[in-house]
Amino acid sequence: MTRTFEEKKRVLELWSEGYNKLQIANMMEIPRTTVRDCITQYSNVAQLEQLALEDKLFSPKTRIYEAFDEELQRTYAYLLGLYLGDGCLSPTRSTYKIRITLDTRYPNIIAACVQAIQTILPYNQVTPFKRKCNCVDVTCYSNEWPELFPQHGEGMKYLRKIQLEQWQQEIVDQYPLEFFKGLYHSDGTRSQNIVKGKDYRRYTFTNMSEDIRQMFIRACELLGLHWTTKTSKRDIM
C-alpha cells in the first residue's frame, strides 16, 4: 500500500521526537517494515519536504484545509472555537504542540475535543493530561497547526489582533452552530436566573479579547440568538 505524504511525514516527526520504530508502527497502526523503509529512504522531515518541492516524489502540497469535506469543516469549526477560547500553540524542537485546557467537570467536552483533533489529524496522537488544578490539557503535536490556526503568536490573545482568514470565515459562516459550541464549551457558563419566581437558564460567554467576543456575537446572530452584554463588556449573555 502506498503511503501518503502526511503519513510519511508523521513517521519522521515521531522518529525525530525519540520514538522507536515499533512504537511508531503501533501508534500509527502500520507495519514496522513500512516505518523502517520510510526512515531509511527519507531520514528526516526536511529531506522529505525538499523532495516534494523538487517534484521528485509528490505533486505540490495541497493545504490541509483545502481537502476538508463537510464533516471535516464541521469538526474544524468546533475545534477553532475551542482553540480561540482556551487553546494555544507552542513550538517544540521539530514541530508544534497544541494545548487546549478544559475543566475536568465536563468529561464529555474533553472527549469531544479529543475526537475533534483526532478527526482532523487521524494519524497523530492526542493526549489528555490531567493537571493539579481540576483542568485537563488536551495536547497533540503536528507541523500542520500553524496552517490550521494562523491566529497563533506570542502573548495573550486579548493583547493582539485576532482575525480569521477568509477560508476560516467561510467555514464558520457555513457552520455557525459548531463554532458557537466550541467557543461556549471553552469559555461559557450556565447559571440560574430567577424572574418572578420562575427559574430561567442563563448562558454566558466570557472572553477578554474583543475580537473573539465579536466572533461569538456574529455566531449568535447567524443562529438567530438574542444576546446582550454585562457592564464589564467581557461577558455576553
Side-chain angles (χ1 to χ4, degrees), residues 55-204:
D55 288 329
K56 292 182 178 179
L57 187 60
F58 307 101
S59 59
K61 182 179 180 296
T62 300
R63 294 186 181 277
I64 184 171
Y65 58 81
E66 294 176 349
F68 281 176
D69 58 15
E70 181 177 337
E71 178 190 0
L72 288 174
Q73 287 186 357
R74 287 180 181 274
T75 302
Y76 177 78
Y78 176 70
L79 187 58
L80 176 61
L82 288 177
Y83 165 74
L84 291 174
D86 276 322
C88 69
L89 294 187
S90 54
T92 65
R93 184 180 62 179
S94 59
T95 185
Y96 285 83
K97 179 178 77 172
I98 192 171
R99 183 179 75 244
I100 298 177
T101 303
L102 300 168
D103 195 320
T104 54
R105 292 177 297 175
Y106 305 102
N108 290 342
I109 294 178
I110 296 171
C113 176
V114 171
Q115 181 60 48
I117 296 175
Q118 200 71 78
T119 299
I120 297 295
L121 297 174
Y123 299 106
N124 296 48
Q125 183 176 10
V126 185
T127 306
F129 177 75
K130 176 70 169 63
R131 294 168 57 181
K132 294 181 180 179
C133 54
N134 295 323
C135 293
V136 167
D137 287 339
V138 179
T139 64
C140 178
Y141 293 85
S142 175
N143 286 336
E144 305 289 357
W145 290 129
E147 182 177 292
L148 286 168
F149 298 120
Q151 290 72 32
H152 77 95
E154 295 184 3
M156 300 293 186
K157 295 188 187 80
Y158 72 91
L159 295 176
R160 49 191 172 86
K161 181 69 175 176
I162 302 295
Q163 185 174 358
L164 298 183
E165 298 287 336
Q166 181 178 349
W167 65 269
Q168 292 178 301
Q169 191 65 63
E170 290 173 356
I171 291 176
V172 166
D173 287 348
Q174 189 170 1
Y175 301 104
L177 179 58
E178 286 73 14
F179 183 58
F180 174 92
K181 286 181 178 179
L183 288 170
Y184 181 75
H185 282 175
S186 59
D187 277 338
T189 57
R190 184 177 65 181
S191 59
Q192 290 181 316
N193 184 30
I194 308 299
V195 179
K196 296 181 179 180
K198 293 186 177 181
D199 182 6
Y200 295 92
R201 296 287 176 88
R202 172 181 288 170
Y203 298 87
T204 304

Side-chain angles (χ1 to χ4, degrees), residues 78 80-87 157 162 178-191 202-220 225-237:
Y78 176 70
L80 176 61
L82 288 177
Y83 165 74
L84 291 174
D86 276 322
K157 295 188 187 80
I162 302 295
E178 286 73 14
F179 183 58
F180 174 92
K181 286 181 178 179
L183 288 170
Y184 181 75
H185 282 175
S186 59
D187 277 338
T189 57
R190 184 177 65 181
S191 59
R202 172 181 288 170
Y203 298 87
T204 304
F205 175 76
T206 303
N207 194 289
M208 295 183 68
S209 168
E210 172 64 19
D211 295 329
I212 295 175
R213 291 198 299 272
Q214 289 301 318
M215 293 178 194
F216 183 80
I217 288 172
R218 180 184 175 93
C220 288
L225 300 176
H226 173 73
W227 60 270
T228 185
T229 59
K230 286 186 177 180
T231 305
S232 67
K233 296 184 179 180
R234 292 188 302 179
D235 297 335
I236 302 170
M237 299 179 291

